[in-house]
Amino acid sequence: MFNLRFAKDYLLHRFKAKNRHGIHSPFVYRLVDKVIYDFEAKKVYTEVENLRKQLLIDNRIITITDLGAGSHVNNNRQKKISDIAYNALKPPKLAQLLYRLAADLKPNNIIELGTCLGITTFYLQAAAPGAKVYTLEGCPETAGIAKETFKKGNINNVDLITGNFDNTLPGVINNLDALDFVFVDGNHQKEAMLKYFEWCLPKVNENTLLIFDDIYWSEGMKAAWNEIKANPKVTVTIDLFWIGLVFFKTGRVKEDFLVKV
């Protein structure tokens, strides 16, 4: 049932979405043309993907603590690292898009909900080396592998925080004057997604970018995405199917865009 529903959503999105030439907002056009559609290879891609290759052949088994909606692929608690790398890590195309978005925004701080094995964290830190990165992971053993990834990649300025997001995220947000870049990739449930969004709202500003992963994961996630788009503080959203971008630009007519990637 999930596959049929998901496939239908994907085909509908492809039918309705536009490329850069169908977008009349200068802000969104520039973002699509210069960032989202920037497919030029970059040196950092090779470096991070080499670490991914190591994880894909790592046959050690760890015990998963899942505090969210689980997996559509494998909900066993005992999993090989290689299987997690194959099924749970963001694919290169999407991880590299996150890199470009962060590099374009030049944030002072980055919050990532859902460290997994640390590959996306690596991309985000490399995109904004001057930013303080807070990456939150619910599973202690998964976080342990992420720490190994950071050590191998010589990643600095990353604060890996382990625990339930309900307990860890409020403290991170409260300690920051403003939120620059937030990537929500964890606990794929409607109530959780909306809760994290509401927690972020008091600290957003003109330059904040919130990114929500897997917005078509379930009917609940789709409903949460629609509620976020309707929030009066939100002025621009970009639906890339796999992720949704949320901006709070002032002085703009409220617009929602579906963009092909």
Side-chain angles (χ1 to χ4, degrees):
M1 181 63 69
F2 161 75
N3 288 333
L4 289 175
R5 193 270 307 159
F6 191 78
K8 181 181 177 181
D9 285 339
Y10 178 74
L11 291 174
L12 188 61
H13 185 278
R14 294 290 295 178
F15 178 74
K16 292 183 175 180
K18 301 179 183 297
N19 58 28
R20 63 168 76 85
H21 302 298
I23 295 171
H24 302 295
S25 162
F27 166 71
V28 176
Y29 181 90
R30 187 205 69 83
L31 192 69
V32 173
D33 186 52
K34 301 298 183 182
V35 181
I36 296 173
Y37 285 0
D38 175 11
F39 301 119
E40 182 179 349
K42 298 174 178 25
K43 182 180 178 181
V44 68
Y45 294 177
T46 301
E47 183 180 359
V48 184
E49 291 308 313
N50 283 337
L51 287 173
R52 185 196 299 268
K53 290 176 182 177
Q54 294 178 37
L55 293 167
L56 285 167
I57 59 172
D58 191 330
N59 288 322
R60 287 178 294 167
I61 296 174
I62 62 174
T63 300
I64 301 299
T65 303
D66 194 335
L67 302 175
S71 167
H72 282 308
V73 179
N74 179 3
N75 275 316
N76 294 332
R77 293 194 68 219
Q78 301 287 320
K79 294 184 181 181
K80 286 184 179 181
I81 293 170
S82 58
D83 290 339
I84 298 171
Y86 183 79
N87 292 316
L89 287 179
K90 289 289 159 284
K93 181 179 178 181
L94 182 53
Q96 290 159 12
L97 171 56
L98 294 169
Y99 167 88
R100 297 194 299 274
L101 288 166
D104 183 67
L105 188 65
K106 297 179 177 59
N108 291 315
N109 58 72
I110 294 173
I111 299 175
E112 176 189 32
L113 273 70
T115 312
C116 196
L117 304 178
I119 291 297
T120 302
T121 317
F122 194 154
Y123 271 115
L124 293 173
Q125 197 276 335
K132 178 65 177 181
V133 179
Y134 303 88
T135 183
L136 282 57
E137 174 56 46
C139 174
E141 294 198 22
T142 305
I145 303 302
K147 289 178 182 178
E148 293 181 11
T149 301
F150 299 160
K151 185 175 181 180
K152 290 177 182 177
N154 194 28
I155 298 177
N156 300 308
N157 213 22
V158 170
D159 189 357
L160 173 56
I161 303 168
T162 306
N164 191 309
F165 297 159
D166 287 358
N167 301 325
T168 58
L169 180 58
V172 175
I173 293 174
N174 290 338
N175 286 332
L176 295 172
D177 293 330
L179 301 181
D180 295 338
F181 186 106
V182 180
F183 176 46
V184 179
D185 177 23
N187 197 343
H188 290 49
Q189 300 179 82
K190 176 184 177 181
E191 295 77 11
M193 183 173 171
L194 291 173
K195 179 167 54 180
Y196 305 149
F197 172 70
E198 292 291 341
W199 286 350
C200 289
L201 279 183
K203 296 291 183 77
V204 303
N205 58 41
E206 172 81 10
N207 299 312
T208 301
L209 169 58
L210 304 185
I211 304 176
F212 293 91
D213 188 58
D214 289 327
I215 55 177
Y216 289 89
W217 172 276
S218 65
E219 292 298 334
M221 291 289 282
K222 287 165 58 179
W225 173 242
N226 286 328
E227 286 193 35
I228 288 170
K229 289 193 298 180
N231 186 280
K233 283 192 174 183
V234 174
T235 55
V236 177
T237 67
I238 302 176
D239 179 341
L240 301 172
F241 187 79
W242 308 108
I243 59 175
L245 313 183
V246 179
F247 297 91
F248 304 86
K249 301 294 183 182
T250 57
R252 297 176 184 271
V253 176
K254 191 176 182 68
E255 293 184 282
D256 302 307
F257 296 87
L258 275 72
V259 176
K260 291 179 181 178
V261 291

